[in-house]
Amino acid sequence: MQNIKLNNGLEIPQLGLGVWKADNGQEAINAVHWALEAGYRHVDTASIYKNEEAVGRALKTASVPRKDVWLTTKIWNDDVRAGRTTTALDEALVRLKTDYIDLLLIHWPVDGYLAAWREMERALTAGKVRAIGVSNFMEEHLTDIVEQGETMPAINQIEYHPYLVQSDAIGYCDTHDIGITAWSPLMQGNFKDEPLFAGIARTYGKSPAQVILRWCLQNDIIAIPKSTNQGRIQENADIFDFELSEEHMIAIDELERGQRFGPDPLDFDF
Ligand code: NAD
């Protein structure tokens, strides 16, 4: 496993398990256990995924100690709008059965995000979270936090894959040393329609999914692919023994076409 150093000095494992849509029961528990067995040390959940209880149960019953696993969760939009970030965090801590979160994110840039950020800064001081960051923040939202907050976000978690590289948001984050986590790095499974990945994968004796995740790593991006299938969880972690050539990196870069599989942070209604 490979780590990335954040602007607060902490090291985050560059590969994590995403658990969106995993059931709040044995499905999420198994996925987390299989991921830890496969070498993952990073799990990404959110209160809106409604599976924090199962993730917490999985971490409690895992053979890997809690302190060795990077746990990310997110404050949902209703809580940000209602000004109840601190309460929402306390509730998440109970569901996750832990007394700290490694990384707490504002899930979407909804009204009230600046006040939420101030509450998160207090949570940082109180030791309830080790790092704070944002998700789906574009330059205009980031500027508010950077100019009016006291703490620089450690991470911006955004949709990122070969069809959508978001150079504007990433350029701003690079300038301010804000790390990038890619959500939907596997294009929500839609990579199968793109023949280039299979062609490159054959060259390295790897799968198309492994090629895309490797492309993320080589671009210094943190990736959190989702799977609840043990074979795929293992496959997605088996990406540290090969390196894509510059030619293949460029060929994948050239696929960019501004295509989203998720909502647009500048035009969403939830
Ligand atoms: P993803 O790009 O990780 O794709 C997941 C899908 O790809 C799986 O359901 C499966 O169908 C397929 N897949 C996974 N591994 C495969 C393999 N080896 N071979 C073939 N198919 C494979 O999509 P995602 O779940 O949208 O994103 C990953 C994670 O990002 C989520 O679970 C969640 O934790 C996070 N996320 C965050 C936000 C946000 O707003 N911050 C939004 C969406 C997702």
Side-chain angles (χ1 to χ4, degrees):
M1 198 50 66
Q2 206 166 281
N3 293 335
I4 286 217
K5 195 165 188 168
L6 299 174
N7 60 18
N8 56 11
L10 295 181
E11 297 211 350
I12 181 171
Q14 210 181 344
L15 179 76
L17 177 76
V19 295
W20 182 32
K21 295 184 187 160
D23 287 354
N24 190 25
Q26 208 53 46
E27 186 176 49
I29 294 173
N30 285 344
V32 171
H33 283 172
W34 288 330
L36 294 174
E37 284 163 23
Y40 294 68
R41 291 294 180 269
H42 173 177
V43 180
D44 181 275
T45 184
S47 66
I48 195 68
Y49 302 169
K50 307 276 183 234
N51 57 21
E52 288 174 313
E53 286 96 346
V55 169
R57 172 76 45 220
L59 294 178
K60 271 278 179 219
T61 54
S63 51
V64 177
R66 166 72 186 90
K67 67 172 178 45
D68 293 342
V69 183
W70 183 281
L71 176 61
T72 298
T73 195
K74 315 181 189 90
I75 301 290
W76 184 240
N77 301 352
D78 298 344
D79 293 317
V80 172
R81 289 193 187 99
R84 64 188 300 281
T85 292
T86 306
T87 309
L89 166 60
D90 290 341
E91 291 165 355
L93 288 167
V94 172
R95 288 192 295 271
L96 287 160
K97 295 170 253 304
T98 183
D99 50 14
Y100 71 96
I101 306 291
D102 292 275
L103 174 64
L104 183 68
L105 304 177
I106 300 178
H107 208 144
W108 287 85
V110 296
D111 286 348
Y113 65 72
L114 207 49
W117 188 253
R118 298 211 168 93
E119 290 192 57
M120 285 163 61
E121 288 177 324
R122 286 197 286 277
L124 193 61
T125 310
K128 293 182 195 175
V129 296
R130 296 176 71 220
I132 56 177
V134 294
S135 179
N136 301 302
F137 274 47
M138 299 293 105
E139 184 167 345
E140 62 193 77
H141 316 116
L142 287 164
T143 307
D144 284 342
I145 302 275
V146 168
E147 288 179 358
Q148 297 179 59
E150 284 176 13
T151 312
M152 187 64 78
I155 290 275
N156 187 16
Q157 183 179 123
I158 55 176
E159 182 176 350
Y160 175 94
H161 45 69
Y163 285 173
L164 183 78
V165 299
Q166 308 226 47
S167 356
D168 289 350
I170 292 188
Y172 184 90
C173 289
D174 283 350
T175 309
H176 293 83
D177 196 17
I178 299 168
I180 299 289
T181 300
W183 62 254
S184 297
L186 295 177
M187 306 153 83
Q188 300 187 358
N190 291 295
F191 63 85
K192 288 156 200 153
D193 305 329
E194 178 54 68
L196 180 76
F197 301 129
I200 294 179
R202 270 193 297 278
T203 317
Y204 297 91
K206 289 285 177 179
S207 71
Q210 290 171 324
V211 165
I212 298 171
L213 294 172
R214 185 70 215 179
W215 169 83
C216 288
L217 298 195
Q218 287 180 221
N219 279 327
D220 297 326
I221 303 287
I222 299 150
I224 47 170
K226 183 253 176 171
S227 182
T228 51
N229 171 290
Q230 187 173 16
R232 284 177 171 178
I233 288 172
Q234 289 168 341
E235 177 187 326
N236 294 345
D238 186 14
I239 54 172
F240 297 99
D241 61 349
F242 76 113
E243 190 171 359
L244 294 172
S245 67
E246 201 180 332
E247 181 197 341
H248 287 141
M249 288 295 289
I250 292 168
I252 299 173
D253 288 343
E254 286 174 349
L255 292 174
E256 152 68 35
R257 56 192 201 195
Q259 183 178 343
R260 294 180 182 280
F261 294 101
D264 183 340
L266 297 178
D267 184 17
F268 64 98
D269 60 1
F270 48 85

